[in-house]
Amino acid sequence: MTLKKVHDLGLIDDNTVVWVRGADLHLITSGNWYQDNILKYMNAELECFTWQDDNNFYIDLK
């Protein structure tokens, strides 16, 4: 699965903060889905993802 597919499912909106983490859970970047630093990861393969009620969405890259 990719971040683009997650976005297409409607799990992420314009107010959601996306946190991109590497394989060892270190933070790579964060921001809204439409920011350049997040857009470059839209087609990356995800290991897993989690979200919180406070509109934070965490993705772990493979």
Side-chain angles (χ1 to χ4, degrees):
M1 179 171 278
T2 64
L3 184 56
K4 181 173 178 4
K5 283 192 175 213
V6 171
H7 177 265
D8 292 346
L9 290 172
L11 297 175
I12 299 172
D13 63 27
D14 289 350
N15 296 315
T16 304
V17 177
V18 178
W19 301 82
V20 179
R21 301 185 295 196
D24 59 356
L25 298 181
H26 73 276
L27 181 64
I28 296 174
T29 192
S30 66
N32 300 94
W33 75 266
Y34 51 82
Q35 294 176 310
D36 288 340
N37 59 324
I38 301 298
L39 286 173
K40 71 182 193 178
Y41 293 99
M42 290 299 276
N43 292 313
E45 284 293 319
L46 307 183
E47 180 72 31
C48 62
F49 61 87
T50 57
W51 67 94
Q52 294 180 208
D53 290 342
D54 61 353
N55 222 6
N56 283 287
F57 194 88
Y58 299 89
I59 63 167
D60 299 333
L61 302 177
K62 279 190 174 180

